[in-house]
Amino acid sequence: MKIALMNEFSQAAKNPIIVEQLNTVAAKEGHSVFNVGMKNDDDHRLTYIHLGIIAGILLNSGAVDFVVAGCGTGQGALMSLNAHPGVTCGYCIDPSDAYLFAQINNGNALALSFAKGFGWGADLNIQYMFEKAFSGVKGQGYPPERKASQVANAGILNSVKTAIAKNYLEALNAIDEELILTAIGGEVFQKCFFENAKDEKLIAFVKQKLQTV
């Protein structure tokens, strides 16, 4: 599995803590991590709005399989990511959240709080959340006897989102261009995207936008 980590500007200082814990878990499970920013306060500046755009492009292009995003409370990142087609993001503040989201909702993104409640032992809580999110088989249901209805409902929700969403390229072109250019302007994002993206139309879209800069 390819996992992208991203956080908005107010939590840039937390990035080294988060990526260390994510890499620790990912290495055990054979997953790859792409730290697409912000790595520090001097990195390409991103708001939680940009995180949604980045997550949508990376997931819909097949550049990554899963996104871990975060902001101060996690709520902004949650709303921003879920605004995009092809992104099913859950809110996670403790390991049981991560486990239940993986087993019941089986989505492809998590939004974490990197400020609220981020105190003593936060690194351990983060590590345990990643262990529950990325270890074992997902979509097994909880409790197990409810698996059938949970799997069915997760699929129905995805189909509803697909039905009400615009064509993704049309939607991206409808977004303010400055937001798009900021979202795709980071070197770490571009490296992850161009080395791993599979959707030729999205690749062409990103290339065309970058040529306007």
Side-chain angles (χ1 to χ4, degrees):
M1 180 187 292
K2 296 187 290 293
I3 305 167
L5 170 66
M6 59 188 74
N7 50 270
E8 49 98 72
F9 71 97
S10 74
Q11 303 307 308
K14 307 281 180 58
N15 182 271
I17 299 172
I18 309 306
V19 75
E20 179 183 5
Q21 302 308 319
L22 182 54
N23 275 322
T24 296
V25 173
K28 295 176 183 177
E29 299 297 325
H31 303 319
S32 302
V33 173
F34 299 88
N35 187 14
V36 300
M38 300 176 59
K39 294 184 177 182
N40 53 56
D41 289 326
D42 297 322
D43 198 3
H44 186 70
R45 189 180 187 276
L46 302 170
T47 69
Y48 65 78
I49 300 167
H50 299 120
L51 301 187
I53 297 170
I54 294 170
I57 291 174
L58 290 178
L59 287 168
N60 282 283
S61 69
V64 301
D65 306 297
F66 202 98
V67 166
V68 175
C71 57
T73 64
Q75 300 286 9
L78 175 72
M79 293 186 289
S80 181
L81 268 68
N82 274 328
H84 290 260
V87 183
T88 303
C89 184
Y91 183 63
C92 186
I93 59 174
D94 61 39
S96 64
D97 286 334
Y99 176 78
L100 293 171
F101 178 71
Q103 297 307 323
I104 297 173
N105 309 105
N106 197 13
N108 56 10
L110 283 176
L112 279 62
S113 168
F114 291 154
K116 184 177 183 293
F118 201 96
W120 189 81
D123 56 334
L124 293 177
N125 188 50
I126 290 287
Q127 182 181 135
Y128 299 155
M129 283 193 283
F130 291 152
E131 287 177 353
K132 294 300 183 183
F134 301 121
S135 301
V137 181
K138 297 171 63 177
Q140 296 304 292
Y142 186 87
E145 60 268 21
R146 297 190 60 192
K147 177 181 178 179
S149 65
Q150 290 168 353
V151 169
N153 286 334
I156 292 169
L157 180 59
N158 286 335
S159 67
V160 168
K161 188 167 185 175
T162 299
I164 64 176
K166 288 182 178 180
N167 172 279
Y168 189 49
L169 279 175
E170 289 181 13
L172 287 176
N173 278 303
I175 295 174
D176 180 86
E177 188 171 52
E178 286 302 314
L179 287 174
I180 296 291
L181 291 176
T182 299
I184 67 175
E187 292 183 9
V188 285
F189 163 81
Q190 292 174 26
K191 179 177 174 60
C192 175
F193 178 77
F194 287 119
E195 289 183 358
N196 299 284
K198 302 177 180 67
D199 188 293
E200 295 299 329
K201 291 182 179 180
L202 278 173
I203 293 171
F205 170 84
V206 172
K207 285 182 177 179
Q208 185 271 324
K209 289 297 182 182
L210 290 174
Q211 288 173 358
T212 66
V213 179

